[in-house]
Structures are given as C-alpha cells and as structure tokens.
Amino acid sequence: MVIPVETATITVTVDGRPYTATVEARKTLADFLREECGLTGTHLGCEHGVCGACTVLLNDSAVRSCLTFAIQADGQEVMTVEGLAAPDGTLHPIQQAFWENHALQCAFCTSGFLMTTYAFLKENPNPSEEEIRETLTGNICRCTGYQNIVAAVADAAARLRGEKHTQPVGGV
Amino acid sequence: MKPATFSYAAPRTVEEAIELLEAYGDDAKVLAGGQSLVPLLNMRLAQPKVLVDINAVEGFDEIVEEEGFVYVPMRVRHVQGERSPLLREKLPVVSEAVHQIGHPQIRNRGTMCGSVAHADPASELPAVLMALDGRIVVKSGDGEEQITPEDFFLTYLTTSLQPGQLVTALRFPLLPPNSSAAFVEFAQRPGDFALCGVAAYLHLDEGGTIAEARLALMGVGGTPFCAEQAEAVLQGERPSAALFAEAAETVSQEVDPDSDIHASAEYRRHLAKVLIPQALEMAAARLGEER
C-alpha cells in the first residue's frame, strides 16, 4: 500500500527556476512560494478561495495557490507575479497597462489580478468588456471600484495584440 | 500553517486509492480539485488524518462516450466539462451548468465528480444529474455500482458514500430524439453560490406533446429537488408559455426552501417561479432548433 507521509522533499519550478525544499504535506503552495522561495509577490487575502489575491499559474492555468498544497505541485511548473517583468525590470505590458490606467491603489490584490489577466489574455486575446468582467469576478479589489482594472485589461489586450505601443516608464 | 496536520498519499491507481480509503476509513478524505475541501481544511472545519490525493491516478481524465452514455471520470476538471466538444454538442446543458460553477480559477482546478461528492445544496451538477436521470459511479473493494441522484444525495453536504467508496465517474445518458434539456440559475454575481437554479428536461412525442418532463431545482433544500407535481402538469400537454407559467406556479407551491443569510425562503420560492419558465423555454427552443 502507498504509505501516507507527513512531510516530503519536493522540487517545484517557479518562474523557470527549480526550488527544492522539505515541506509538511499541509503547507499550501502559497506559503511555499512565500516562505521557501522567498517570493512574496504572491499575496494571501482570505485563504479560503474567495479573494483571488493568491492567484498563480500552475502548469499554465490560473489557480488559487491557497487551495493547492505545495506537495501537489512537486515536479510541476508555477509562474508567479515575479515572473512577469523582464529580468532588467522592464514591466510586462499587462503591468504597464495597470500602471498607466491607474488600476491599483493599495495594490494588495494586484498580483492576483495580474496573473488572472495573464492567463485570460493568453486564451482570449481580444475579449469583450463583458468577458473581462466575468473573468475578474474571481478576484476581489476593495479600493478601485474595478472600473480602471477593466480598462487596464482591455488596454493590456490591445498592447499584447500589438495595436498599442507601450509608453516608456517615467516622465511626467 | 492553516490546516491541521495530516498525512498525504498520492496513489497511482484507483485500486491503490480504494485500498487507502478502506484502510483509513473515516479518518481519510479524498482530495481531487480541493476547491471545497481545502477551504474546510484551512478553516479547520475538517481535520482528516489522511488525504488521498487522486490527481496522480493514471487515466480518469477524459470525457468519453460509450454505448449511449457520456462518462465524466473523476479527474475531469470543470474547465474540461465547460469546453468539451462532446458535451457541447450532445449535452450542452452540462457545459452550461459547469460554466456557472465558481470562478475561472476554481474551474481550472475543481473536478466535476468532486463537486458531486461534496454535495453542496447550491451546486449545479446534482440538479443536472437528476433532470437527466444520470448516475453516480462509485467504486469500492466490493466492486462498482451506479447510484441514482435520489439515492446518493441525502441532505446538506451528505451523500450515501461510505468509507472506502470513491466516486469514479458521472454517467449522463445521451438525449433521445425529440428531447432537450437546459439549465439556468440566479446568483448575485457570476461565480457566487447560486440562490436557486433549475435543470429542465423535455421529451416530446411525435405529435408534439410532452411525453416526459423532468424538473430538478437546486438551492431550495438540502438536496436537489425533483418537482414532481410540476412535471405532472407538463406531461401530456403541448409546450406553451401559458403551460410553463402554470408549471412555475405549481413549483412555487411545491418547494419548501429554508431561509438563510443569503436569501429568505420566500425569495427562493420566487426565484424558482421565475427560473422554471426560463429553463423550459430554453429547452423548448432547443427542440425547435433540431427540427
């Protein structure tokens, strides 16, 4: 019989880099990313699958990292918000669109929104506003009122389709 | 660390999974998508000693058609059901119900069998199974059985599953000619738990009268509710707006929902009355498309 274990040594590839650690079975993927990988861009809000702040990509699909155990991600690929920007710090077009559209205030929820948007626009590069709004229902923001987030996602889609050039950061 | 300590096993075969479930009995819980179980663990409302993760079991991850039935095995995630060309073509009612489960992140991970085994009274698939006369395929050391929704769903979050039993598939019959089905629900925002939902199935005879109607409601009690009196109203009649309104009136008398923090009993009854004609109209329109 398969013998159940309380701890295991696992290797998870996060943003292209392998991380190995011995973890308790009960450690969530979110806690693994923050505590074992030091990647604190993934935020934890509700920790029961409602707020979407902890959204990451697991094997290319957006999931709530508070509802997946790290041990389940052994041998798999995870992408976090830290994997969005270029190595030289140039923002990803989605991040740039969020910045320019003022789609964040306190920013606690932002990494979750960014990862949800990243996965969404890969599958649907030209979404309607209704589709954007429906997708964003899985993420809660208590500051913005969502209007600018919706605008930012539409703007990011246009940038990723090559219809709009990203403005350089800084200036005014 | 949010959940209480547990041990974890990821068997590779369904036999190994059942062996673990039998060995640990009440102390074991099946972990599939985890979208309902892990919140309960994180809040320590559930503290199983052993989690049997079925995600590494080989196979059981493709929707298949076999001898007049569509089988949804235990590793199929909601997103697969939502997009399955097979379901969309032959049983669109299932895809449209699954699309209304949770948010994209939840549908990427949660499984259709897991949702049924969890038996939340606000969940979509139990009502769809009931309206389509589907079965829940359950395996244990004693073999396999196919259980009706009426026998499977006992009350809030409670099924007939015994320790050592595993839901391995959902079985939906393909629709016979001149029949169709539809699902509608009302939730305050997309992805929220629905306050009420209706799955409707219509089968017309050659003369265009309703030979069989099945109506299953969710959110109006601890289990999906079969609206037998309203089904009787529909039977033998020709589909019409007036007939559907009469069925809706009957349903609103027939259901006996509870009040809770999300909605009063009266409001749920009202929603049932509003949603019944919508589901029936949608099913009837689909019949029209086939002709």
Side-chain angles (χ1 to χ4, degrees):
Chain A
M1 194 171 76
V2 185
I3 305 297
V5 293
E6 273 187 36
T7 61
T9 301
I10 60 169
T11 300
V12 185
T13 303
V14 185
D15 301 325
R17 185 184 146 189
Y19 290 84
T20 300
T22 301
V23 297
E24 281 187 70
R26 61 177 170 155
K27 191 169 204 117
T28 62
L29 178 58
D31 284 342
F32 175 82
L33 293 170
R34 294 178 56 85
E35 295 166 10
E36 307 294 339
C37 308
L39 298 170
T40 52
T42 298
H43 291 175
L44 281 159
C46 71
E47 295 186 75
H48 62 273
V50 174
C51 76
C54 68
T55 302
V56 300
L57 269 58
L58 176 61
N59 301 329
D60 291 329
S61 57
V63 302
R64 304 203 184 298
S65 60
C66 73
L67 297 188
T68 302
F69 293 110
I71 196 168
Q72 297 184 280
D74 186 21
Q76 315 211 27
E77 302 235 352
V78 172
M79 180 179 171
T80 71
V81 71
E82 281 91 344
L84 275 182
D88 69 358
T90 305
L91 293 183
H92 186 278
I94 298 172
Q95 293 171 308
Q96 189 70 35
F98 267 62
W99 180 335
E100 288 179 27
N101 286 276
H102 214 63
L104 53 143
Q105 288 178 31
C106 90
F108 192 86
C109 69
T110 307
S111 39
F113 272 97
L114 291 171
M115 298 318 288
T116 298
T117 303
Y118 181 86
F120 171 60
L121 293 181
K122 276 211 150 172
E123 288 184 356
N124 188 350
N126 196 3
S128 66
E129 183 182 327
E130 197 186 332
E131 288 169 330
I132 294 173
R133 286 186 179 273
E134 194 184 329
T135 293
L136 297 181
T137 55
N139 292 72
I140 292 176
C141 170
R142 298 283 83 151
C143 301
T144 62
Y146 301 102
Q147 205 66 31
N148 289 348
I149 299 180
V150 174
V153 175
D155 186 16
R159 287 166 198 254
L160 290 167
R161 290 196 304 269
E163 289 166 18
K164 180 175 174 179
H165 292 292
T166 297
Q167 299 298 313
V169 179
V172 196
Chain B
M1 221 78 75
K2 301 289 283 187
T5 309
F6 56 78
S7 302
Y8 168 93
R12 293 301 174 109
T13 66
V14 73
E15 289 74 23
E16 285 173 350
I18 289 166
E19 201 182 7
L20 282 158
L21 292 174
E22 282 179 336
Y24 292 96
D26 278 333
D27 289 334
K29 268 305 246 183
V30 176
L31 173 63
Q35 304 300 291
S36 301
L37 176 61
V38 182
L40 295 174
L41 298 176
N42 283 356
M43 291 186 270
R44 300 203 178 189
L45 293 170
Q47 304 193 6
K49 291 201 174 76
V50 177
L51 283 194
V52 179
D53 183 352
I54 58 165
N55 286 286
V57 171
E58 278 164 39
F60 293 89
D61 57 351
E62 269 180 62
I63 301 171
V64 288
E65 182 185 340
E66 232 174 74
E67 293 171 4
F69 296 99
V70 172
Y71 289 87
V72 178
M74 63 182 180
R75 284 183 52 215
V76 170
R77 302 190 193 277
H78 297 310
V79 66
Q80 287 171 266
E82 202 180 344
R83 296 177 185 175
S84 157
L86 176 64
L87 283 178
R88 289 176 86 124
E89 186 198 333
K90 303 207 168 159
L91 287 170
V93 59
V94 179
S95 295
E96 75 200 8
V98 173
H99 176 69
Q100 299 185 62
I101 297 175
H103 306 287
Q105 297 98 322
I106 286 171
R107 295 196 294 274
N108 280 342
R109 195 83 191 137
T111 66
M112 292 170 67
C113 285
S115 173
V116 166
H118 183 62
D120 192 293
S123 64
E124 289 78 0
L125 288 169
V128 174
L129 276 169
M130 188 175 269
L132 295 183
D133 196 24
R135 296 285 183 274
I136 297 100
V137 183
V138 172
K139 261 193 184 151
S140 70
D142 300 332
E144 183 180 292
E145 49 184 326
Q146 306 196 335
I147 304 176
T148 62
E150 287 79 358
D151 287 339
F152 186 79
F153 299 107
L154 300 182
T155 180
Y156 294 90
L157 305 172
T158 307
T159 67
S160 69
L161 280 177
Q162 296 297 314
Q165 288 189 320
L166 176 65
V167 175
T168 55
L170 309 178
R171 193 191 83 174
F172 296 95
L174 290 173
L175 299 178
N178 283 326
S179 65
S180 72
F183 177 84
V184 293
E185 70 174 32
F186 178 78
Q188 291 191 312
R189 287 161 295 266
D192 279 11
F193 281 104
L195 299 178
C196 181
V198 174
Y201 166 87
L202 285 177
H203 182 201
L204 303 191
D205 64 20
E206 283 171 10
T209 61
I210 298 172
E212 192 183 4
R214 283 197 298 267
L215 292 171
L217 288 87
M218 55 183 259
V220 293
T223 60
F225 178 83
C226 174
E228 287 173 11
Q229 292 173 26
E231 290 172 357
V233 166
L234 295 165
Q235 193 138 357
E237 303 289 336
R238 296 183 80 84
S240 72
L243 179 69
F244 295 165
E246 192 189 335
E249 188 58 47
T250 307
V251 166
S252 71
Q253 305 296 320
E254 194 178 356
V255 293
D256 184 21
D258 289 325
S259 291
D260 59 32
I261 53 164
H262 304 294
S264 65
E266 192 189 359
Y267 185 50
R268 286 182 195 273
R269 186 171 285 136
H270 168 76
L271 286 173
K273 188 173 163 179
V274 171
L275 294 174
I276 287 278
Q278 289 180 10
L280 286 168
E281 293 285 0
M282 220 164 125
R286 280 191 180 145
L287 279 167
E289 282 164 21
E290 277 173 21
R291 281 186 191 151

